[in-house]
Amino acid sequence: MKLSATFVSLSLLVLAPLASAATPSRRPFSAQDVNLWKLEAREKALAASRGAQTSPPYSEFPAQFFTQPIDHADPSRGTFKQRYWVNTRHYVPGSGGPVIDRLPFLDTGIVEILANATGGVGVILEHRYYVGLTEFTDRRDRWLNNDQATADSANFLANVKFEGIDEDLTAPNTPWIYYGGSYAGARAAHMKVLYPELVFGAISSSGVTHAAISNWEYYDIIRKAADPLCSAHIENAMQTIDALLEVPYLKPLVKGLFGLQDLEHDDDFASVIEGPLGAWQAKNWDPEVGSTRFDDFCEALSKPIVGASHMAALPVGHEDRLLTLWNEHKIDFSILNYAQWIKENSVKRCIDAEATIEECYGTYDDDKFIDTSLDQTWRLWTFQVCTEWAYFFTAPPDPEYPRIVSKLMTMDYATKICRQAYPPGKFFAVPSMPNVTAVNSLGDFAIAADRLAIIDGEVDPWRPCTPHSDYAEDREDTLLQPFKLIPDAVHHYDEYGLRDLSAEPEEIQKIHYEMIAFVLEWLKDFKAWNERQ
């Protein structure tokens, strides 16, 4: 029996290698996130009209297609073409190398690292519907769910035939190692427990196996992990701004300070100034991939007023740091810096895109969110949020709890995109609240299996939704069930890598060598596992 292994990882957004640094650091979850998606699309269209060139795809890995049923429970409903990419650089026929996936990590990163270490094949399987749809309607969207997506992967593992490879590399005759990060990390864990007869091993990196209706802890991780002075600035700003917005004659002054006087609704205003916090997730140990935008924002907040540099050394909120906004109403000088940041970034983006502030950041015009054209790809992940995954970003439920977002970030505001974008249809109606049980019933925080590795980042804002959450039970880290927390790491840090592992930071190099070690150890058991199937 051969021991050729295949590594598979689910790629949620396969166009990631083509994305620029301006790509939002998180996918659309709210109406304001959709606005940002639309603004970026507008910016790209303007750039293209002015002759800007886009980056070419990875030509070494041409897209291939696998035929999937639209509905695995009833194949008569038709099929669609699912894209995938293959890296056979290190494949040695009959060598025992596994099959793995994720583009651009086929080139550098965890797929390349593991394929190189094992003589395996790297594969990326794109999520259903993310390319190749003929319509965005409730007739088709009703099959965009976790059950169908996991069934896609299972069907692929069991039946795919790779071009240029004569061997049968299908599961379970070949050891498939399923890798995923973030949402795809949850998919990796789910595949191991749902299809243990096909998935020999799985690695869940920052896997959000707990679907939470309110994801307020996302911001709390940032508050606690950021530079304490930066957190103090943001906390003070949010408390001050919330209080000022309750004074009718001050409201236009506050919005005008940020250049957002034309934004009608207060919660829209609050959601725009929350925007810089999303840059925390864009941090990465590799400067070629990561962004310093959050740190730049924090530095801007601390910038002292000309001629009064001593103010910056005083505690946030100290009376000598306060500037008069109107009569007896005063604000910390860092709020002026905050306002300037929003004007130079959010407001300027809107102006440069030749749009009004309300067009860019207003969320109360339902007509903005009902376009079902195929270029409105935000509709896919947002549909999944509204039906099963949730993760709505809100302020903490306790009004006395420290916070770095406005109290106006309510559940009603966060969920209104579901009502706006997906009115009840003939074939399907989005539920009033997502059915998170569809996700959490698969293991939740406690999801575990032999040859299922859980890898998370200590300061990842998504950690509260992973098995390393403070709400979860701690567990032992073993070769058979690895359970690893990368110090000072944000979102799926292990997924990125350098061609020369010795040039990586110590903690990243350490986790990569540990991953190689436990995968090689797993492969020793493949023959016995295969004989039991």
Side-chain angles (χ1 to χ4, degrees):
M1 178 185 297
K2 67 179 183 298
L3 188 60
S4 176
T6 307
F7 293 90
V8 162
S9 150
L10 174 71
S11 178
L12 177 63
L13 297 174
V14 190
L15 297 182
L18 307 182
S20 69
T23 301
S25 56
R26 72 180 195 218
R27 299 183 295 276
F29 288 85
S30 69
Q32 196 61 265
D33 289 325
V34 174
N35 276 341
L36 293 173
W37 183 95
K38 289 175 175 284
L39 178 56
E40 183 187 351
R42 188 168 184 149
E43 290 169 336
K44 288 180 177 178
L46 282 171
S49 70
R50 295 164 183 163
Q53 300 296 312
T54 58
S55 301
Y58 287 90
S59 57
E60 183 182 351
F61 314 119
Q64 301 179 50
F65 295 88
F66 182 81
T67 301
Q68 294 278 17
I70 292 172
D71 180 5
H72 286 271
D74 183 2
S76 68
R77 295 186 188 276
T79 62
F80 71 97
K81 298 292 187 181
Q82 189 170 28
R83 288 196 301 184
Y84 67 97
W85 295 257
V86 182
N87 175 357
T88 57
R89 281 177 187 164
H90 308 290
Y91 173 61
V92 180
S95 69
V99 184
I100 322 166
D101 96 87
R102 212 140 150 118
L103 217 166
F105 312 111
L106 283 179
D107 186 45
T108 58
I110 194 58
V111 178
E112 165 69 10
I113 290 168
L114 293 178
N116 186 22
T118 60
V121 176
V123 182
I124 290 179
L125 179 64
E126 185 175 49
H127 197 288
R128 70 162 32 213
Y129 287 11
Y130 276 58
V131 164
L133 265 188
T134 56
E135 58 181 338
F136 284 149
T137 65
D138 68 294
R139 185 175 75 88
R140 187 61 65 92
D141 290 351
R142 58 182 157 156
W143 293 298
L144 179 56
N145 57 49
N146 200 46
D147 282 347
Q148 295 287 348
T150 52
D152 286 341
S153 291
N155 188 36
F156 182 83
L157 269 62
N159 295 291
V160 66
K161 306 295 183 186
F162 294 117
E163 293 181 12
I165 296 179
D166 294 332
E167 287 186 283
D168 176 6
L169 296 185
T170 57
N173 298 316
T174 299
W176 283 73
I177 309 293
Y178 202 112
Y179 179 94
S182 193
Y183 161 68
R187 174 62 38 71
H190 292 164
M191 287 298 297
K192 188 69 185 86
V193 299
L194 287 172
Y195 297 97
E197 75 283 4
L198 294 176
V199 179
F200 176 67
I203 303 171
S204 174
S205 176
S206 295
V208 286
T209 57
H210 173 72
I213 295 293
S214 172
N215 194 20
W216 67 270
E217 295 96 337
Y218 180 98
Y219 297 114
D220 205 43
I221 289 284
I222 299 171
R223 180 185 68 83
K224 293 175 179 177
D227 177 84
L229 178 59
C230 184
S231 290
H233 281 149
I234 304 171
E235 280 188 56
N236 174 266
M238 292 304 162
Q239 291 171 358
T240 302
I241 291 167
D242 278 350
L244 293 174
L245 288 174
E246 292 177 347
V247 182
Y249 68 87
L250 290 179
K251 191 180 298 187
L253 287 177
V254 175
K255 291 183 180 179
L257 188 67
F258 286 79
L260 296 168
Q261 62 274 11
D262 294 331
L263 198 53
E264 180 180 354
H265 296 275
D266 295 350
D267 43 12
D268 283 344
F269 169 73
S271 69
V272 173
I273 65 174
E274 169 266 334
L277 303 183
W280 179 270
Q281 187 177 320
K283 285 172 168 280
N284 195 278
W285 60 268
D286 183 355
E288 294 298 316
V289 176
S291 167
T292 63
R293 195 168 182 82
F294 185 87
D295 295 332
D296 295 342
F297 169 65
C298 287
E299 184 179 348
L301 295 184
S302 299
K303 184 178 180 180
I305 295 175
V306 176
S309 58
H310 68 284
M311 295 171 62
L314 298 171
V316 177
H318 190 282
E319 61 180 356
D320 290 343
R321 290 174 54 112
L322 303 182
L323 304 173
T324 300
L325 178 66
W326 182 267
N327 293 335
E328 76 279 11
H329 298 284
K330 297 183 178 183
I331 59 174
D332 189 274
F333 79 85
S334 62
I335 295 178
L336 291 183
N337 291 334
Y338 201 141
Q340 188 62 29
W341 175 273
I342 294 297
K343 284 190 285 191
E344 292 177 356
N345 292 273
S346 302
V347 175
K348 185 177 184 299
R349 281 186 71 185
C350 190
I351 294 170
D352 290 347
E354 301 175 2
T356 68
I357 293 296
E358 189 66 29
E359 285 174 334
C360 285
Y361 303 121
T363 68
Y364 280 82
D365 180 2
D366 293 351
D367 290 342
K368 294 174 66 172
F369 307 108
I370 60 174
D371 185 359
T372 57
S373 303
L374 291 181
D375 60 354
Q376 301 298 300
T377 54
W378 62 267
R379 298 187 64 87
L380 295 160
W381 172 244
T382 309
F383 180 85
Q384 293 175 262
V385 166
C386 293
T387 53
E388 292 184 335
W389 293 86
Y391 304 125
F392 296 113
F393 295 94
T394 67
D398 181 356
E400 301 303 316
Y401 192 87
R403 55 184 169 80
I404 55 174
V405 294
S406 168
K407 65 181 182 181
L408 298 178
M409 296 294 92
T410 64
M411 183 61 67
D412 185 66
Y413 183 78
T415 59
K416 72 189 181 82
I417 184 62
C418 301
R419 300 182 290 276
Q420 292 172 306
Y422 309 104
K426 178 181 178 182
F427 299 96
F428 185 85
V430 168
S432 58
M433 278 292 172
N435 177 24
V436 294
T437 301
V439 176
N440 295 336
S441 62
L442 299 178
D444 208 319
F445 294 127
I447 194 167
D450 288 349
R451 295 182 305 280
L452 168 57
I454 304 293
I455 301 175
D456 296 309
E458 181 183 22
V459 293
D460 183 355
W462 288 101
R463 183 170 62 80
C465 297
T466 75
H468 275 100
S469 168
D470 292 343
Y471 301 126
E473 295 289 333
D474 197 12
R475 52 177 111 165
E476 187 181 0
D477 174 25
T478 67
L479 280 172
L480 196 57
Q481 295 190 17
F483 190 68
K484 300 179 183 296
L485 189 66
I486 307 173
D488 298 318
V490 186
H491 209 41
H492 47 82
Y493 265 27
D494 62 289
E495 193 162 6
Y496 306 88
L498 303 179
R499 291 194 186 280
D500 178 7
L501 266 63
S502 66
E504 295 175 348
E506 181 180 352
E507 293 294 344
I508 302 305
Q509 189 178 147
K510 178 175 182 288
I511 192 65
H512 283 157
Y513 281 122
E514 288 177 345
M515 294 170 78
I516 291 170
F518 67 65
V519 167
L520 289 175
E521 192 67 23
W522 290 353
L523 290 173
K524 294 177 183 178
D525 297 329
F526 174 69
K527 182 177 180 181
W529 174 84
N530 182 256
E531 289 174 349
R532 294 193 300 269
Q533 302 312 304

